[in-house]
Amino acid sequence: MRPYPSRPVARPYPSRPAARPSPSGLRAARPNPDPSGPAARPYPDPSGPAARPRPGSRRAVAGFAGLAAPAAALLLLLGAAWPAVAADGEPDRDFTIEDPRITESSGLAASRLHPGIYWTHNDSDDGPYVFAVDSRTGKTVATVTMRGVGEPRDVEGISIGPDGDIYVGDIGDNLDGTWNHVWIYRFPEPKTLRDTTVTATQYDVQYADGPRNAESLMVHPKTGRVYIASKNENGGGLYEGPGKLTTGSMNVFRRVGEVPWVTDGTFSPDGRSLALRSYFSARVYAFENGRLGESRAVAAPFQRQAESVTYTADGTALMFGSEGTRSGVVRVEVEGGGKSDGSGGTEDGQEQGKPAGNGSPGQGGSAGQEDDGKGSVGLGAVIIIGVGALWFALRRKRGQG
């Protein structure tokens, strides 16, 4: 770990830098991003065919019946965590990010210029790269390399402003106070989808109440003001940036609201709602005059490493993303077509939504209750216990057989 008191602002990065360990030293503790990979597949039965029960025998039928129930339970538990399959060629549906370079997708932003395209990036110190992914196929259709921004440290959020510019938040700080300032990068969304290098503007950012970790960067679609939600297990804060970001001086963000544990956030296209997600839940808040209002739970999908969320460009749904190799993005419908009633919900008073395709809802708080994400940790515990119980059951059956 080395301090970053300052950085060059005009250093080009024509090629991708070699991967380095995160300064936090915490990245290695993440779960295997691909549970379907070779390491997770069972080994061949060492006992060989002769030791297995004859098909159709009473012993085989009894063994199958004994394993059917826990196997079915396991499929139900893990179905929500499995990557979404690329949809039927329609945009803005469930899809899987196919690019092998994108292993830690930590932010999503729906394109304003290119329907069905989603901008994303890796977190940690991957380099100054932003990827355009087509939701119809899950394939990367453009890679943007930012120059003039020094060396990104921990990119955690992405958003698009009303001027059509893409804002990238280099705002992560896993040690909660290691960095005395963080950065925001900004460049116009490319009109043509192809690999390109752009000169980005870099802004220095500080928090009025001291350094902190954050993973959520949101640009209001009407005012263009930038907001950051900090991440803390005891609850974070919503920070409001100055009316206009400036270069050559520090941009101070001030706390204007209290939020739960947050891994990403997004404004609705009309700017009247702010959706915030955590690892196991999500809420939508009414947003007016720069302040949070009432909130309602959203049926967020359970994902391996729940890190990102964005509204679709038309505001009819939320797209929830995850980290990991071939990570899935799950569409969750917004009841009422995304038309806010100004209270955090839709015109019918409900903002619960339902996942489309392979997604399944996680546990969210009920309307009118604050949900800090901790209440839903029980779901993860149940899944872990269920998987462990099935593993022991399988071993016992094999031993008896």
Side-chain angles (χ1 to χ4, degrees), residues 211-258:
R212 58 206 58 248
N213 188 26
E215 295 190 1
S216 310
L217 175 81
M218 300 82 62
V219 182
H220 195 274
K222 300 301 182 181
T223 67
R225 191 184 289 266
V226 182
Y227 294 83
I228 295 174
S230 65
K231 176 183 175 183
N232 188 285
E233 62 181 1
N234 296 319
L238 180 68
Y239 289 82
E240 181 183 71
K244 183 178 180 180
L245 298 179
T246 58
T247 59
S249 62
M250 196 63 65
N251 295 273
V252 178
F253 278 60
R254 304 185 184 281
R255 196 176 185 121
V256 295
E258 303 303 310

Side-chain angles (χ1 to χ4, degrees), residues 233 260-261 278-283 362-366 369-382:
E233 62 181 1
W261 177 289
S278 68
Y279 290 123
F280 300 107
S281 62
R283 300 194 71 83
Q363 299 293 320
S366 59
Q369 293 179 335
E370 283 300 319
D371 180 3
D372 61 0
K374 296 179 184 178
S376 299
V377 174
L379 175 62
V382 169

